[in-house]
Amino acid sequence: MTLTEGYTVTVNTTDGHSFNVTSSSPVILESGEIFITNSASDTEPSHLLIGGSDKVHIVNVAQCMGADYKAGLEWTWEAEDAADILGIAKSRCDHIDDCKPVDNGSKILVSSSYNWCVLLDKASKQVLFHALDCANAHSAELLPGNRIAVACSDGTTSNHNQVRLYDAARSNVLLDSSPLVSAHGVTWCESTQRLYAVGNRQINVYSLQDWDTSAPKLKLEKSITTPQGSNHDISLADPTTLVVAGVRAYLFDVNTESFTEMPHFAASTQLKSVNYNPLTSELWYTDATVPEGTQSWSTHTLRYATDPAATSMAGSIRITDMDVYKVRVLNW
């Protein structure tokens, strides 16, 4: 199809904004082709979620790139505000290790290695769900049917080293669990209708069994060995590609089950989070290979790159008043 007079596209973003992208130049659209409206990134600024210590922040990238995050700070949730709801001491409202946007960015899943996980309404900051028995929780994912999977990492209790399944409508109600050594990350893939969970040196692939009943289960379909151990993160890049990161980072094709190394991270041994946009080749990530802050796993820098094969960063944002663990992209 040839659009001789150009086009106007209305873009509705996951965080509730809407804007138009317009071009008066003719354009030819091929069947099945992806056409990138480059001006969209100039119209709608990127926003990031930052998790660490006892807080989750949202920042406007355009306002703080190359500077301190406070220049672009737009939203903050302090875990201590939920202490009474969780029924724990304020000192345990700390060690936040993931803050994942879900439900089109209207909600945020927050996990802590101090054994808790919450689902927040972003607008009101209300705690919609909480679980207190997810030992050393390192990440969570919202699943179809309003259920939540939590990756519970290393430890010595029966609640450690497993993926735990909860009902988002009923706090602290465990539905199922599945063992996974050093479970660190979980992500849902719509194209395969599978949950992918990453542990020390493996990816567990789960199907959703008896999902329409009151006793749903995570059925382990297979375990896939990863190229490196010490995996710390798994995220969705596009409908058929996952990013697995820890010691270096790899693209995992869910159809061929093959790994492709991302050269930008060849020297990284402590990646805590990697977010990748294949359409624009952008990357946002946290890397504690050289630790910053008070913890061996923490960083004070959000890192940005524009090419997964590049040897250097394209930008960064500094956060020196908290031990940062992960960064997530609210919108690119």
Side-chain angles (χ1 to χ4, degrees):
M1 176 183 294
T2 300
L3 305 178
T4 58
E5 298 181 4
Y7 59 84
T8 296
V9 176
T10 299
V11 180
N12 298 302
T13 70
T14 57
D15 56 352
H17 294 107
S18 179
F19 59 91
N20 291 331
V21 178
T22 302
S23 174
S24 58
S25 302
V27 61
I28 299 175
L29 302 179
E30 300 288 345
S31 177
E33 179 184 16
I34 295 175
F35 183 74
I36 300 175
T37 54
N38 293 318
S39 57
S41 61
D42 299 327
T43 307
E44 179 69 7
S46 299
H47 286 81
L48 302 176
L49 277 167
I50 309 164
S53 296
D54 59 349
K55 296 179 179 64
V56 176
H57 297 304
I58 295 178
V59 298
N60 182 325
V61 173
Q63 295 178 1
C64 58
M65 179 68 91
D68 187 88
Y69 79 102
K70 292 178 182 176
L73 184 61
E74 294 187 352
W75 183 97
T76 294
W77 178 73
E78 297 190 22
E80 285 189 0
D81 293 342
D84 290 341
I85 294 174
L86 296 176
I88 61 176
K90 289 185 176 181
S91 61
R92 303 297 293 176
C93 297
D94 206 308
H95 279 52
I96 290 173
D97 48 34
D98 205 355
C99 49
K100 186 180 294 184
V102 295
D103 199 8
N104 292 322
S106 65
K107 300 179 179 68
I108 301 171
L109 270 170
V110 183
S111 57
S112 164
S113 54
Y114 277 171
N115 310 332
W116 54 263
C117 174
V118 299
L119 178 65
L120 299 176
D121 176 76
K122 182 165 75 71
S124 66
K125 301 183 184 179
Q126 178 184 357
V127 175
L128 305 174
F129 160 88
H130 66 274
L132 298 174
D133 60 351
C134 38
N136 201 4
H138 264 66
S139 187
E141 179 69 298
L142 185 64
L143 300 177
N146 204 32
R147 277 126 188 188
I148 294 173
V150 182
C152 298
S153 192
D154 303 280
T156 58
T157 75
S158 59
N159 292 351
H160 288 92
N161 295 299
Q162 59 183 236
V163 178
R164 294 170 72 80
L165 179 67
Y166 296 90
D167 183 346
R170 297 182 294 162
S171 292
N172 287 317
V173 175
L174 180 68
L175 300 174
D176 191 27
S177 63
S178 178
L180 176 59
V181 174
S182 193
H184 265 72
V186 279
T187 192
W188 171 252
C189 183
E190 188 72 24
S191 68
T192 59
Q193 292 290 292
R194 295 292 185 271
L195 176 69
Y196 294 80
V198 69
N200 180 36
R201 195 168 184 174
Q202 70 187 80
I203 299 173
N204 277 2
V205 184
Y206 297 98
S207 60
L208 310 182
Q209 188 177 44
D210 300 328
W211 213 246
D212 296 328
T213 73
S214 60
K217 293 179 174 57
L218 295 173
K219 180 182 179 182
L220 179 62
E221 299 286 346
K222 63 180 71 176
S223 292
I224 301 167
T225 302
T226 59
Q228 302 284 344
S230 297
N231 292 310
H232 275 78
D233 192 34
I234 186 168
S235 63
L236 190 69
D238 64 30
T240 61
T241 308
L242 306 179
V243 180
V244 179
V247 177
R248 304 182 182 179
Y250 298 83
L251 299 177
F252 175 70
D253 188 310
V254 298
N255 292 325
T256 64
E257 297 183 355
S258 59
F259 294 89
T260 303
E261 185 170 354
M262 305 176 80
H264 182 74
F265 302 105
S268 296
T269 59
Q270 287 289 330
L271 290 166
K272 302 304 180 181
S273 61
V274 175
N275 308 266
Y276 175 51
N277 185 342
L279 291 179
T280 62
S281 295
E282 292 174 284
L283 293 151
W284 278 104
Y285 61 100
T286 51
D287 188 351
T289 300
V290 179
E292 300 171 319
T294 66
Q295 304 291 331
S296 63
W297 43 259
S298 66
T299 183
H300 282 168
T301 308
L302 306 185
R303 292 171 166 83
Y304 174 71
T306 55
D307 182 353
T311 57
S312 60
M313 295 188 302
S316 63
I317 297 172
R318 291 287 287 168
I319 306 172
T320 58
D321 59 355
M322 61 190 285
D323 291 319
V324 177
Y325 197 86
K326 286 185 181 175
V327 60
R328 296 297 182 196
V329 178
L330 186 59
N331 65 283
W332 290 95

Short mmCIF file of all heavy atoms in Angstrom, two decimals, residues 266-325:
data_model
loop_
_atom_site.label_atom_id
_atom_site.label_comp_id
_atom_site.label_asym_id
_atom_site.label_seq_id
_atom_site.Cartn_x
_atom_site.Cartn_y
_atom_site.Cartn_z
N ALA A 266 30.04 -8.78 27.27
CA ALA A 266 31.07 -9.83 27.30
C ALA A 266 31.91 -9.78 28.57
O ALA A 266 32.43 -10.82 29.02
CB ALA A 266 31.97 -9.71 26.07
N ALA A 267 32.08 -8.61 29.16
CA ALA A 267 32.92 -8.48 30.35
C ALA A 267 32.11 -8.41 31.64
O ALA A 267 32.67 -8.24 32.73
CB ALA A 267 33.79 -7.24 30.23
N SER A 268 30.80 -8.58 31.56
CA SER A 268 29.94 -8.44 32.74
C SER A 268 29.77 -9.78 33.45
O SER A 268 29.46 -10.79 32.81
CB SER A 268 28.56 -7.90 32.33
OG SER A 268 28.67 -6.60 31.79
N THR A 269 29.97 -9.77 34.76
CA THR A 269 29.82 -11.00 35.54
C THR A 269 28.73 -10.88 36.62
O THR A 269 28.42 -11.87 37.30
CB THR A 269 31.14 -11.36 36.23
OG1 THR A 269 31.54 -10.28 37.08
CG2 THR A 269 32.24 -11.63 35.21
N GLN A 270 28.15 -9.69 36.77
CA GLN A 270 27.13 -9.48 37.81
C GLN A 270 25.98 -8.61 37.27
O GLN A 270 25.63 -7.59 37.87
CB GLN A 270 27.74 -8.83 39.05
CG GLN A 270 28.62 -9.76 39.87
CD GLN A 270 27.81 -10.82 40.60
OE1 GLN A 270 26.66 -10.61 40.97
NE2 GLN A 270 28.40 -11.98 40.80
N LEU A 271 25.43 -9.01 36.13
CA LEU A 271 24.26 -8.29 35.60
C LEU A 271 23.05 -8.62 36.47
O LEU A 271 22.75 -9.78 36.71
CB LEU A 271 23.99 -8.70 34.16
CG LEU A 271 25.01 -8.21 33.12
CD1 LEU A 271 24.82 -8.96 31.81
CD2 LEU A 271 24.88 -6.71 32.90
N LYS A 272 22.35 -7.59 36.91
CA LYS A 272 21.17 -7.79 37.75
C LYS A 272 19.88 -7.61 36.97
O LYS A 272 18.85 -8.19 37.33
CB LYS A 272 21.21 -6.84 38.95
CG LYS A 272 22.45 -7.00 39.81
CD LYS A 272 22.62 -8.45 40.30
CE LYS A 272 23.86 -8.61 41.17
NZ LYS A 272 24.05 -10.00 41.62
N SER A 273 19.89 -6.81 35.92
CA SER A 273 18.72 -6.65 35.06
C SER A 273 19.15 -6.15 33.70
O SER A 273 20.06 -5.32 33.59
CB SER A 273 17.71 -5.68 35.69
OG SER A 273 18.26 -4.39 35.85
N VAL A 274 18.49 -6.67 32.67
CA VAL A 274 18.73 -6.22 31.30
C VAL A 274 17.39 -6.11 30.59
O VAL A 274 16.62 -7.07 30.56
CB VAL A 274 19.65 -7.19 30.51
CG1 VAL A 274 19.77 -6.73 29.06
CG2 VAL A 274 21.03 -7.26 31.15
N ASN A 275 17.12 -4.93 30.04
CA ASN A 275 15.91 -4.68 29.26
C ASN A 275 16.34 -4.32 27.84
O ASN A 275 17.17 -3.43 27.65
CB ASN A 275 15.13 -3.50 29.85
CG ASN A 275 14.86 -3.66 31.33
OD1 ASN A 275 13.81 -4.14 31.73
ND2 ASN A 275 15.81 -3.24 32.17
N TYR A 276 15.76 -4.99 26.84
CA TYR A 276 16.21 -4.82 25.46
C TYR A 276 15.02 -4.60 24.55
O TYR A 276 14.01 -5.32 24.63
CB TYR A 276 16.99 -6.06 25.02
CG TYR A 276 17.41 -6.06 23.56
CD1 TYR A 276 18.08 -4.97 23.01
CD2 TYR A 276 17.16 -7.17 22.76
CE1 TYR A 276 18.47 -4.99 21.67
CE2 TYR A 276 17.55 -7.19 21.42
CZ TYR A 276 18.21 -6.09 20.89
OH TYR A 276 18.59 -6.11 19.58
N ASN A 277 15.13 -3.60 23.67
CA ASN A 277 14.11 -3.31 22.67
C ASN A 277 14.68 -3.63 21.29
O ASN A 277 15.46 -2.84 20.74
CB ASN A 277 13.70 -1.84 22.74
CG ASN A 277 12.56 -1.49 21.80
OD1 ASN A 277 12.28 -2.23 20.85
ND2 ASN A 277 11.91 -0.38 22.04
N PRO A 278 14.33 -4.77 20.68
CA PRO A 278 14.91 -5.15 19.39
C PRO A 278 14.58 -4.19 18.25
O PRO A 278 15.34 -4.09 17.28
CB PRO A 278 14.30 -6.53 19.12
CG PRO A 278 13.82 -7.02 20.43
CD PRO A 278 13.41 -5.80 21.19
N LEU A 279 13.45 -3.48 18.35
CA LEU A 279 13.07 -2.56 17.28
C LEU A 279 13.99 -1.36 17.21
O LEU A 279 14.26 -0.83 16.12
CB LEU A 279 11.63 -2.10 17.48
CG LEU A 279 10.53 -3.15 17.28
CD1 LEU A 279 9.16 -2.55 17.53
CD2 LEU A 279 10.61 -3.75 15.88
N THR A 280 14.48 -0.92 18.35
CA THR A 280 15.35 0.26 18.37
C THR A 280 16.78 -0.05 18.80
O THR A 280 17.64 0.83 18.77
CB THR A 280 14.78 1.30 19.36
OG1 THR A 280 14.77 0.74 20.68
CG2 THR A 280 13.35 1.70 18.97
N SER A 281 17.03 -1.30 19.20
CA SER A 281 18.33 -1.77 19.69
C SER A 281 18.74 -1.12 21.01
O SER A 281 19.90 -1.18 21.41
CB SER A 281 19.44 -1.55 18.65
OG SER A 281 19.21 -2.33 17.50
N GLU A 282 17.80 -0.51 21.72
CA GLU A 282 18.11 0.14 22.99
C GLU A 282 18.21 -0.88 24.13
O GLU A 282 17.49 -1.88 24.14
CB GLU A 282 17.05 1.17 23.34
CG GLU A 282 17.01 2.37 22.43
CD GLU A 282 15.83 3.26 22.77
OE1 GLU A 282 14.69 2.89 22.42
OE2 GLU A 282 16.06 4.31 23.41
N LEU A 283 19.05 -0.55 25.09
CA LEU A 283 19.24 -1.36 26.28
C LEU A 283 19.26 -0.47 27.52
O LEU A 283 19.89 0.59 27.51
CB LEU A 283 20.57 -2.11 26.22
CG LEU A 283 20.75 -3.20 25.18
CD1 LEU A 283 22.21 -3.32 24.79
CD2 LEU A 283 20.24 -4.53 25.70
N TRP A 284 18.55 -0.89 28.56
CA TRP A 284 18.70 -0.31 29.89
C TRP A 284 19.04 -1.46 30.83
O TRP A 284 18.40 -2.50 30.79
CB TRP A 284 17.42 0.37 30.36
CG TRP A 284 17.23 1.77 29.84
CD1 TRP A 284 16.40 2.16 28.84
CD2 TRP A 284 17.91 2.94 30.29
NE1 TRP A 284 16.51 3.52 28.64
CE2 TRP A 284 17.42 4.02 29.53
CE3 TRP A 284 18.87 3.19 31.28
CZ2 TRP A 284 17.87 5.33 29.71
CZ3 TRP A 284 19.32 4.49 31.47
CH2 TRP A 284 18.82 5.55 30.69
N TYR A 285 20.06 -1.27 31.68
CA TYR A 285 20.49 -2.39 32.51
C TYR A 285 21.20 -1.92 33.78
O TYR A 285 21.61 -0.77 33.89
CB TYR A 285 21.39 -3.34 31.72
CG TYR A 285 22.68 -2.72 31.19
CD1 TYR A 285 23.89 -2.91 31.85
CD2 TYR A 285 22.70 -1.99 30.00
CE1 TYR A 285 25.07 -2.37 31.36
CE2 TYR A 285 23.87 -1.46 29.50
CZ TYR A 285 25.05 -1.64 30.18
OH TYR A 285 26.22 -1.11 29.69
N THR A 286 21.29 -2.85 34.74
CA THR A 286 22.07 -2.63 35.96
C THR A 286 23.16 -3.69 36.03
O THR A 286 22.90 -4.87 35.81
CB THR A 286 21.20 -2.69 37.22
OG1 THR A 286 20.41 -3.89 37.22
CG2 THR A 286 20.27 -1.49 37.29
N ASP A 287 24.37 -3.25 36.35
CA ASP A 287 25.53 -4.13 36.33
C ASP A 287 26.36 -3.89 37.59
O ASP A 287 26.84 -2.77 37.82
CB ASP A 287 26.37 -3.84 35.08
CG ASP A 287 27.50 -4.83 34.87
OD1 ASP A 287 27.76 -5.64 35.78
OD2 ASP A 287 28.12 -4.82 33.79
N ALA A 288 26.49 -4.93 38.41
CA ALA A 288 27.27 -4.82 39.65
C ALA A 288 28.60 -5.55 39.54
O ALA A 288 29.17 -5.97 40.56
CB ALA A 288 26.47 -5.36 40.83
N THR A 289 29.11 -5.72 38.31
CA THR A 289 30.42 -6.35 38.13
C THR A 289 31.47 -5.60 38.96
O THR A 289 32.34 -6.20 39.58
CB THR A 289 30.82 -6.33 36.65
OG1 THR A 289 29.84 -7.06 35.90
CG2 THR A 289 32.18 -6.97 36.43
N VAL A 290 31.37 -4.28 38.95
CA VAL A 290 32.13 -3.44 39.88
C VAL A 290 31.10 -2.83 40.82
O VAL A 290 30.41 -1.87 40.46
CB VAL A 290 32.92 -2.34 39.15
CG1 VAL A 290 33.68 -1.48 40.16
CG2 VAL A 290 33.89 -2.95 38.14
N PRO A 291 30.92 -3.39 42.02
CA PRO A 291 29.83 -2.95 42.90
C PRO A 291 29.97 -1.48 43.30
O PRO A 291 31.07 -0.95 43.45
CB PRO A 291 29.98 -3.86 44.12
CG PRO A 291 30.78 -5.03 43.65
CD PRO A 291 31.70 -4.49 42.61
N GLU A 292 28.81 -0.85 43.47
CA GLU A 292 28.73 0.50 44.01
C GLU A 292 27.70 0.47 45.14
O GLU A 292 26.77 -0.31 45.12
CB GLU A 292 28.28 1.50 42.94
CG GLU A 292 29.22 1.56 41.74
CD GLU A 292 28.63 2.39 40.60
OE1 GLU A 292 27.41 2.27 40.34
OE2 GLU A 292 29.39 3.14 39.98
N GLY A 293 27.86 1.30 46.12
CA GLY A 293 26.92 1.30 47.24
C GLY A 293 27.43 0.47 48.39
O GLY A 293 28.62 0.16 48.49
N THR A 294 26.51 0.08 49.27
CA THR A 294 26.90 -0.62 50.50
C THR A 294 26.84 -2.14 50.36
O THR A 294 27.21 -2.85 51.29
CB THR A 294 26.01 -0.19 51.67
OG1 THR A 294 24.65 -0.63 51.42
CG2 THR A 294 26.01 1.32 51.84
N GLN A 295 26.34 -2.63 49.24
CA GLN A 295 26.17 -4.07 49.05
C GLN A 295 26.99 -4.56 47.86
O GLN A 295 27.20 -3.83 46.89
CB GLN A 295 24.69 -4.41 48.81
CG GLN A 295 23.74 -3.93 49.89
CD GLN A 295 23.92 -4.66 51.20
OE1 GLN A 295 24.32 -5.82 51.22
NE2 GLN A 295 23.60 -4.01 52.30
N SER A 296 27.40 -5.83 47.91
CA SER A 296 28.19 -6.39 46.81
C SER A 296 27.38 -6.55 45.54
O SER A 296 27.93 -6.68 44.45
CB SER A 296 28.77 -7.75 47.24
OG SER A 296 27.72 -8.67 47.50
N TRP A 297 26.04 -6.53 45.68
CA TRP A 297 25.16 -6.73 44.52
C TRP A 297 24.61 -5.42 43.98
O TRP A 297 23.83 -5.42 43.03
CB TRP A 297 23.99 -7.63 44.90
CG TRP A 297 23.35 -7.34 46.22
CD1 TRP A 297 23.55 -8.02 47.39
CD2 TRP A 297 22.42 -6.29 46.53
NE1 TRP A 297 22.80 -7.46 48.40
CE2 TRP A 297 22.10 -6.40 47.91
CE3 TRP A 297 21.83 -5.26 45.79
CZ2 TRP A 297 21.22 -5.53 48.55
CZ3 TRP A 297 20.95 -4.39 46.42
CH2 TRP A 297 20.65 -4.54 47.78
N SER A 298 24.98 -4.30 44.57
CA SER A 298 24.31 -3.04 44.24
C SER A 298 25.10 -2.18 43.26
O SER A 298 26.30 -2.35 43.07
CB SER A 298 24.01 -2.24 45.51
OG SER A 298 25.21 -1.82 46.12
N THR A 299 24.40 -1.24 42.66
CA THR A 299 25.01 -0.26 41.78
C THR A 299 24.40 1.10 42.05
O THR A 299 23.32 1.21 42.64
CB THR A 299 24.81 -0.64 40.30
OG1 THR A 299 25.48 0.31 39.47
CG2 THR A 299 23.34 -0.66 39.92
N HIS A 300 25.09 2.14 41.62
CA HIS A 300 24.58 3.51 41.68
C HIS A 300 24.35 4.07 40.28
O HIS A 300 24.15 5.28 40.14
CB HIS A 300 25.56 4.42 42.43
CG HIS A 300 25.51 4.26 43.91
ND1 HIS A 300 26.47 4.80 44.75
CD2 HIS A 300 24.61 3.65 44.71
CE1 HIS A 300 26.17 4.50 46.00
NE2 HIS A 300 25.05 3.81 46.01
N THR A 301 24.37 3.19 39.28
CA THR A 301 24.30 3.65 37.90
C THR A 301 23.30 2.85 37.08
O THR A 301 23.35 1.62 37.06
CB THR A 301 25.68 3.53 37.21
OG1 THR A 301 26.68 4.17 38.02
CG2 THR A 301 25.66 4.19 35.83
N LEU A 302 22.38 3.55 36.43
CA LEU A 302 21.54 2.94 35.40
C LEU A 302 22.26 3.15 34.08
O LEU A 302 22.61 4.28 33.72
CB LEU A 302 20.16 3.60 35.35
CG LEU A 302 19.35 3.68 36.63
CD1 LEU A 302 17.96 4.25 36.33
CD2 LEU A 302 19.23 2.31 37.28
N ARG A 303 22.48 2.06 33.36
CA ARG A 303 23.27 2.14 32.14
C ARG A 303 22.40 2.00 30.90
O ARG A 303 21.47 1.19 30.87
CB ARG A 303 24.36 1.06 32.17
CG ARG A 303 25.43 1.31 33.22
CD ARG A 303 26.37 0.13 33.40
NE ARG A 303 27.56 0.49 34.14
CZ ARG A 303 27.65 0.55 35.46
NH1 ARG A 303 26.58 0.25 36.19
NH2 ARG A 303 28.77 0.90 36.05
N TYR A 304 22.75 2.76 29.86
CA TYR A 304 21.98 2.81 28.61
C TYR A 304 22.90 2.58 27.43
O TYR A 304 24.02 3.12 27.37
CB TYR A 304 21.31 4.18 28.49
CG TYR A 304 20.59 4.44 27.19
CD1 TYR A 304 19.40 3.78 26.89
CD2 TYR A 304 21.08 5.37 26.29
CE1 TYR A 304 18.73 4.03 25.70
CE2 TYR A 304 20.41 5.64 25.10
CZ TYR A 304 19.24 4.97 24.81
OH TYR A 304 18.57 5.22 23.64
N ALA A 305 22.46 1.75 26.48
CA ALA A 305 23.21 1.52 25.25
C ALA A 305 22.24 1.50 24.07
O ALA A 305 21.05 1.26 24.24
CB ALA A 305 23.99 0.20 25.32
N THR A 306 22.76 1.76 22.90
CA THR A 306 21.93 1.81 21.70
C THR A 306 22.28 0.73 20.69
O THR A 306 21.77 0.74 19.58
CB THR A 306 22.06 3.19 21.03
OG1 THR A 306 23.44 3.46 20.76
CG2 THR A 306 21.50 4.28 21.91
N ASP A 307 23.14 -0.21 21.12
CA ASP A 307 23.54 -1.30 20.22
C ASP A 307 24.03 -2.46 21.09
O ASP A 307 24.99 -2.30 21.84
CB ASP A 307 24.66 -0.81 19.29
CG ASP A 307 25.11 -1.87 18.29
OD1 ASP A 307 24.65 -3.04 18.39
OD2 ASP A 307 25.94 -1.55 17.41
N PRO A 308 23.39 -3.63 21.00
CA PRO A 308 23.82 -4.77 21.82
C PRO A 308 25.21 -5.28 21.49
O PRO A 308 25.77 -6.08 22.23
CB PRO A 308 22.76 -5.84 21.54
CG PRO A 308 22.18 -5.46 20.22
CD PRO A 308 22.23 -3.97 20.16
N ALA A 309 25.78 -4.79 20.38
CA ALA A 309 27.14 -5.19 20.00
C ALA A 309 28.16 -4.11 20.31
O ALA A 309 29.36 -4.30 20.12
CB ALA A 309 27.21 -5.54 18.52
N ALA A 310 27.70 -2.96 20.80
CA ALA A 310 28.61 -1.86 21.09
C ALA A 310 29.48 -2.18 22.30
O ALA A 310 29.09 -2.96 23.17
CB ALA A 310 27.83 -0.57 21.35
N THR A 311 30.65 -1.58 22.36
CA THR A 311 31.57 -1.84 23.47
C THR A 311 31.44 -0.81 24.58
O THR A 311 32.03 -0.98 25.64
CB THR A 311 33.02 -1.85 22.97
OG1 THR A 311 33.31 -0.59 22.33
CG2 THR A 311 33.23 -2.98 21.97
N SER A 312 30.67 0.24 24.34
CA SER A 312 30.56 1.29 25.35
C SER A 312 29.11 1.71 25.53
O SER A 312 28.25 1.42 24.70
CB SER A 312 31.40 2.51 24.94
OG SER A 312 30.95 3.04 23.71
N MET A 313 28.85 2.39 26.63
CA MET A 313 27.51 2.90 26.91
C MET A 313 27.23 4.13 26.06
O MET A 313 28.14 4.81 25.60
CB MET A 313 27.38 3.26 28.38
CG MET A 313 27.48 2.12 29.36
SD MET A 313 27.07 2.67 31.04
CE MET A 313 28.28 3.97 31.30
N ALA A 314 25.94 4.44 25.93
CA ALA A 314 25.53 5.65 25.24
C ALA A 314 25.04 6.70 26.23
O ALA A 314 24.83 7.86 25.86
CB ALA A 314 24.44 5.35 24.22
N GLY A 315 24.84 6.28 27.47
CA GLY A 315 24.37 7.22 28.48
C GLY A 315 24.18 6.52 29.81
O GLY A 315 24.29 5.29 29.91
N SER A 316 23.89 7.30 30.84
CA SER A 316 23.69 6.73 32.17
C SER A 316 22.92 7.71 33.04
O SER A 316 22.82 8.90 32.73
CB SER A 316 25.02 6.39 32.83
OG SER A 316 25.78 7.57 33.04
N ILE A 317 22.38 7.19 34.13
CA ILE A 317 21.71 7.99 35.15
C ILE A 317 22.27 7.56 36.50
O ILE A 317 22.38 6.36 36.78
CB ILE A 317 20.18 7.77 35.11
CG1 ILE A 317 19.60 8.24 33.77
CG2 ILE A 317 19.50 8.51 36.27
CD1 ILE A 317 18.14 7.88 33.57
N ARG A 318 22.61 8.52 37.33
CA ARG A 318 23.22 8.21 38.62
C ARG A 318 22.19 8.22 39.74
O ARG A 318 21.29 9.06 39.79
CB ARG A 318 24.32 9.23 38.93
CG ARG A 318 25.52 9.12 38.03
CD ARG A 318 26.35 7.90 38.36
NE ARG A 318 27.08 8.07 39.63
CZ ARG A 318 27.70 7.08 40.26
NH1 ARG A 318 27.65 5.85 39.79
NH2 ARG A 318 28.34 7.33 41.39
N ILE A 319 22.35 7.25 40.67
CA ILE A 319 21.50 7.15 41.86
C ILE A 319 22.41 6.80 43.02
O ILE A 319 22.75 5.65 43.22
CB ILE A 319 20.42 6.06 41.69
CG1 ILE A 319 19.63 6.30 40.41
CG2 ILE A 319 19.48 6.04 42.88
CD1 ILE A 319 18.69 5.18 40.08
N THR A 320 22.80 7.79 43.78
CA THR A 320 23.82 7.56 44.81
C THR A 320 23.25 7.44 46.22
O THR A 320 24.01 7.20 47.16
CB THR A 320 24.85 8.70 44.79
OG1 THR A 320 24.18 9.95 45.01
CG2 THR A 320 25.59 8.75 43.46
N ASP A 321 21.93 7.58 46.36
CA ASP A 321 21.35 7.53 47.72
C ASP A 321 20.59 6.24 48.00
O ASP A 321 19.82 6.17 48.96
CB ASP A 321 20.44 8.74 47.95
CG ASP A 321 19.29 8.82 46.96
OD1 ASP A 321 19.25 7.99 46.03
OD2 ASP A 321 18.44 9.73 47.11
N MET A 322 20.80 5.20 47.18
CA MET A 322 20.18 3.91 47.45
C MET A 322 20.99 2.81 46.78
O MET A 322 21.76 3.05 45.84
CB MET A 322 18.73 3.87 46.97
CG MET A 322 18.54 4.09 45.48
SD MET A 322 16.80 4.31 44.98
CE MET A 322 16.18 2.63 45.08
N ASP A 323 20.83 1.59 47.29
CA ASP A 323 21.48 0.43 46.68
C ASP A 323 20.55 -0.12 45.60
O ASP A 323 19.58 -0.82 45.90
CB ASP A 323 21.75 -0.65 47.74
CG ASP A 323 22.81 -0.22 48.74
OD1 ASP A 323 23.81 0.38 48.31
OD2 ASP A 323 22.65 -0.49 49.94
N VAL A 324 20.84 0.22 44.37
CA VAL A 324 19.97 -0.15 43.25
C VAL A 324 20.23 -1.58 42.84
O VAL A 324 21.39 -2.03 42.72
CB VAL A 324 20.20 0.79 42.05
CG1 VAL A 324 19.34 0.36 40.87
CG2 VAL A 324 19.87 2.23 42.44
N TYR A 325 19.15 -2.33 42.60
CA TYR A 325 19.27 -3.70 42.14
C TYR A 325 18.82 -3.82 40.68
O TYR A 325 19.56 -4.28 39.83
CB TYR A 325 18.44 -4.63 43.03
CG TYR A 325 18.82 -6.10 42.89
CD1 TYR A 325 19.85 -6.64 43.65
CD2 TYR A 325 18.13 -6.94 42.02
CE1 TYR A 325 20.18 -7.99 43.53
CE2 TYR A 325 18.47 -8.27 41.89
CZ TYR A 325 19.50 -8.79 42.66
OH TYR A 325 19.83 -10.12 42.52
#
